[in-house]
Amino acid sequence: MSAPNIANCSLRELRTLLDENKISAPELAQLFRARAKQYSHLNAFLRINENDDYHPAAGNFLDSLPIAHKDIFCAQGEKTTCGSKMLAEFVAPYDSTVVENFRNAGMNTIGRTNMDEFAMGSSGEHSAFSASRNPWDENYVPGGSSSGSAAAVAARLTPVATATDTGGSIRQPAAFCGVTGIKPTYGRVSRWGMVAFASSFDQGGVIAKSAEDCALALSAMAGFDERDSTSLPQPAEDFTRQFDQPLSNIVIGVPKEFFSDGLDNKVASRVQEAIRQFEKQGATIKEISLASVKHAIAAYYVLTCAEASSNLSRYDGVRYGFRPTENNDSDLTTMYEQTRTQGFGAEVKRRILIGTYMLSYGYYDAYYRRAMKVRTLIARDFEQAFTGCDVLLGPTTPSPAFALNAIADNDPVAMYLQDIYTVPVNLAGLPALSLPCGFSGALPVGLQLIGAPLAESLLLSVAHEYQKQNDYHLQMPAGVQ
Amino acid sequence: MALTRQDIQKLAQLARLAQNPREEEDTLKSLNAVLGLIDELKNADVDNVDPMAYVQLHGQTLRTRAPAAVAGYPPEQLMQNAPQADENHFLVPKVIE
């Protein structure tokens, strides 16, 4: 079997190749490492491991299969930069639970993927190191913040990659890159050792080619963790357990607010085609309304910027991270200021300043408290929707991928509106996934499925049934063979 | 209410960020644009609605576990990233004259 064919294999197919001794574990990892180097101009990886990085876990389904980690998850003794100059030289003193879980499953880490700095961005252009490129058209962005993870899976540089989603950072790049990505229920995946952005939103998940691969990886990744105070007391589970059930008992809600004026026509058409496909497969389609989601973007940016301004106050040049070498004899305040001014990029500084304003005296009630109340309204809307629906469906993004540098640095609003269909889910803490549903020209289009709390296995099974009927998730970018 | 240049200077000081005049101008414009987006919140009817700081699923409270003492990490391991350290102490510019 040729290298591109192996690179396009599912996790089950790779498992079979290993079990039948058609390829060895080191050969498999070497194949993906070589591809990661061959396509290094995509800037999907920040670092590629030179050697195997795994401990065999005989009998585990994922044993010896390659994985790449978003550079937000700490791995003991390794750099974890979070896409920032602030952490450019930071060497993690311990493993994140996510890295530990995949290590225990025997997975072989092939490298660390690029990302928007501190997971703040929707294009991959806000990495302090390099902007990742979209494998479907290298002049286009891969989305963000899990830019490298999505680009790496799309270019078949790894079969699966970890990612995180605070407001769409798994689903939006998955949509732009034509791959499948799941953001689990808040609390499903431990945040221990995952660099914080907005703690009441941040959630780890995975990006892979298919819903099945996502389910297999998530089964090893999720589970209760004593070290994360918001970890849900749910045991590990097999997220493929509801697979291969017909969709005839499934009611899919389609929120009319997700088809607003700003939605690209071709994206709308692909999503409508997907709706018809689900109908053909026996699902019942029902139009619903989520009246409060129109306030979601505003509430999301108030709350996440506020949490970010607090979380990122830890970067003061004292305990870890960047500290300028000049002005070392200056006073403490100047040292703090120079550390933060030189260490953070423009978008991170902007969000810190917005958050500082939201939490400042006189504005707390008008913005922060009000946004928390809107959060309640949005969560209630979803709760109500799930009384009559099993799954909600809509576009993942308002448009396909946009060109690199198309949204100016000084136009944050245009960038923030990219998240219009993804942030409501994070406000309510729900599980959601994006899967490819066709193309707009040469660029992939993403379909979003949203589930009730803890309904990941249902979501993944519905996505799997859809993917049995088409091959969008198996198509490789023309420039990547 | 639009932010002024003085507001930006105050926020930057609170956040311990330094800005030159050109950066201040850029920040002023972009923050005012973001505030324009956020002001939309005023249209939400939130009377008698409780604020939600954290997602709570089906009444699960996430912070009720009793704290348990666990082994920590050796100080040397945690100090390895310190920009300036001396014998497991962080060094900072002189604070007391």
Side-chain angles (χ1 to χ4, degrees):
Chain A
M1 198 184 258
S2 68
N5 287 342
I6 293 175
N8 202 28
C9 281
S10 68
L11 290 180
R12 278 196 199 283
E13 289 165 336
L14 293 176
R15 175 81 269 144
T16 303
L17 289 175
L18 285 168
D19 289 347
E20 293 179 351
N21 295 318
K22 297 217 167 108
I23 192 167
S24 70
E27 283 168 349
L28 185 61
Q30 180 52 33
L31 182 148
F32 282 105
R33 284 199 297 261
R35 287 182 66 80
K37 286 178 187 166
Q38 184 186 347
Y39 293 101
S40 60
H41 62 281
L42 294 173
N43 296 324
F45 280 87
L46 289 174
R47 294 176 304 287
I48 301 164
N49 288 355
E50 285 303 321
N51 301 304
D52 285 342
D53 177 14
Y54 76 117
H55 305 287
N60 191 304
F61 179 86
L62 297 172
D63 176 40
S64 306
L65 294 174
I67 189 167
H69 290 303
K70 183 176 181 179
D71 211 22
I72 197 168
F73 293 105
C74 287
Q76 188 177 351
E78 293 177 29
K79 277 190 184 178
T80 302
T81 69
C82 214
S84 180
K85 180 182 175 186
M86 188 64 90
L87 291 174
E89 301 303 325
F90 176 75
V91 175
Y94 53 81
D95 275 342
S96 57
T97 301
V98 163
V99 165
E100 189 179 271
N101 286 350
F102 283 119
R103 251 194 238 292
N104 291 341
M107 292 196 91
N108 196 343
T109 306
I110 57 168
R112 307 298 297 246
T113 57
N114 203 354
M115 57 181 287
D116 284 302
E117 183 178 8
F118 285 105
M120 298 179 195
S122 306
S123 70
E125 295 166 295
H126 295 302
S127 164
F129 304 108
S130 55
S132 300
R133 291 169 178 272
N134 191 318
W136 291 91
D137 185 330
E138 293 170 13
N139 296 313
Y140 283 71
V141 304
S145 68
S146 306
S147 48
S149 292
V153 173
R156 310 306 193 240
L157 314 182
T158 179
V160 58
T162 54
T164 60
D165 193 314
T166 303
S169 286
I170 290 175
R171 292 160 287 153
Q172 189 252 17
F176 279 11
C177 290
V179 293
T180 307
I182 181 162
K183 172 235 174 265
T185 309
Y186 180 79
R188 266 283 198 196
V189 168
S190 171
R191 292 185 295 110
W192 174 260
M194 186 177 108
V195 181
F197 157 17
S199 303
S200 80
F201 294 78
D202 298 342
Q203 184 58 199
V206 284
I207 292 176
K209 290 187 285 294
S210 65
E212 183 179 34
D213 286 358
C214 282
L216 290 164
L218 188 63
S219 301
M221 187 186 206
F224 173 67
D225 182 12
E226 186 72 53
R227 296 170 294 188
D228 173 359
S229 62
T230 58
S231 179
L232 283 168
Q234 298 291 322
E237 60 181 273
D238 173 6
F239 290 108
T240 64
R241 71 178 188 281
Q242 285 181 262
F243 274 25
D244 300 318
Q245 288 177 16
L247 297 178
S248 47
N249 294 325
I250 300 293
V251 179
I252 299 179
V254 180
K256 60 180 183 190
E257 290 80 5
F258 282 16
F259 293 82
S260 50
D261 291 343
L263 180 62
D264 175 272
N265 284 340
K266 284 184 179 159
V267 172
S269 299
R270 296 298 90 79
V271 174
Q272 293 297 347
E273 286 162 17
I275 291 172
R276 287 196 287 278
Q277 178 61 46
F278 277 115
E279 236 171 349
K280 215 155 82 180
Q281 289 182 249
T284 304
I285 307 294
K286 184 174 162 184
E287 187 183 273
I288 62 152
S289 174
L290 299 169
S292 299
V293 298
K294 58 179 177 285
H295 307 302
I297 282 274
Y300 171 82
Y301 277 96
V302 170
L303 297 173
T304 56
C305 289
E307 292 189 27
S309 74
S310 170
N311 265 330
L312 273 63
S313 65
R314 73 189 68 181
Y315 300 105
D316 56 6
V318 175
R319 289 152 299 169
Y320 56 88
F322 172 78
R323 174 163 161 184
T325 48
E326 70 272 22
N327 298 322
N328 258 341
D329 299 327
S330 62
D331 64 287
L332 191 61
T333 304
T334 306
M335 192 277 284
Y336 289 153
E337 261 185 14
Q338 286 307 312
T339 294
R340 294 166 64 77
T341 301
Q342 295 179 39
F344 289 136
E347 180 58 27
V348 173
K349 285 188 229 181
R350 174 152 50 220
R351 296 202 198 190
I352 289 173
L353 289 169
I354 295 168
T356 305
Y357 182 63
M358 296 305 152
L359 294 175
S360 59
Y361 179 75
Y363 299 99
Y364 178 90
D365 280 337
Y367 291 112
Y368 187 71
R369 198 171 165 77
R370 196 169 183 83
M372 285 198 292
K373 291 182 174 187
V374 168
R375 193 175 188 181
T376 304
L377 292 178
I378 290 170
R380 277 188 201 160
D381 272 5
F382 277 114
E383 206 175 334
Q384 175 63 29
F386 284 115
T387 59
C389 303
D390 301 296
V391 170
L392 308 185
L393 175 156
T396 308
T397 58
S399 69
F402 46 92
L404 283 158
N405 304 313
I407 298 182
D409 276 349
N410 60 3
D411 188 5
V413 170
M415 192 67 90
Y416 295 175
L417 288 171
Q418 286 296 316
D419 305 333
I420 194 159
Y421 303 131
T422 49
V423 298
V425 163
N426 301 77
L427 285 157
L430 302 174
L433 59 77
S434 178
L435 70 165
C437 66
F439 293 86
S440 169
L443 296 168
V445 173
L447 175 75
Q448 181 172 217
L449 298 178
I450 304 169
L454 305 176
E456 288 87 349
S457 61
L458 174 68
L459 263 189
L460 287 157
S461 76
V462 171
H464 180 60
E465 286 305 300
Y466 175 79
Q467 290 185 328
K468 280 172 160 178
Q469 300 299 320
N470 63 61
D471 68 350
Y472 299 130
H473 60 294
L474 297 176
Q475 295 187 30
M476 283 168 75
V480 177
Q481 292 303 329
Chain B
M1 190 182 68
L3 294 174
T4 64
R5 193 128 182 183
Q6 288 68 39
D7 294 326
I8 297 296
Q9 287 165 352
K10 175 72 178 162
L11 288 174
Q13 186 204 355
L14 286 169
R16 298 284 182 264
L17 291 168
Q19 295 190 304
N20 64 35
R22 200 183 59 79
E23 289 168 333
E24 269 178 20
E25 196 55 40
D26 284 351
T27 303
L28 181 63
K29 274 188 198 151
S30 68
L31 256 63
N32 273 328
V34 174
L35 284 183
L37 180 78
I38 286 171
D39 268 347
E40 190 279 325
L41 278 179
K42 287 180 184 150
N43 302 326
D45 180 4
V46 293
D47 288 350
N48 304 314
V49 177
D50 289 331
M52 181 198 279
Y54 255 92
V55 173
Q56 291 197 320
L57 297 167
H58 300 299
Q60 284 167 339
T61 51
L62 299 171
R63 291 183 177 273
T64 54
R65 298 193 294 277
V70 292
Y73 298 95
E76 295 74 21
Q77 196 175 327
L78 297 176
M79 295 296 291
Q80 68 183 353
N81 284 295
Q84 282 192 36
D86 184 21
E87 294 182 355
N88 286 346
H89 292 84
F90 298 108
L91 295 186
V92 296
K94 195 170 174 183
V95 179
I96 302 166
E97 292 300 329

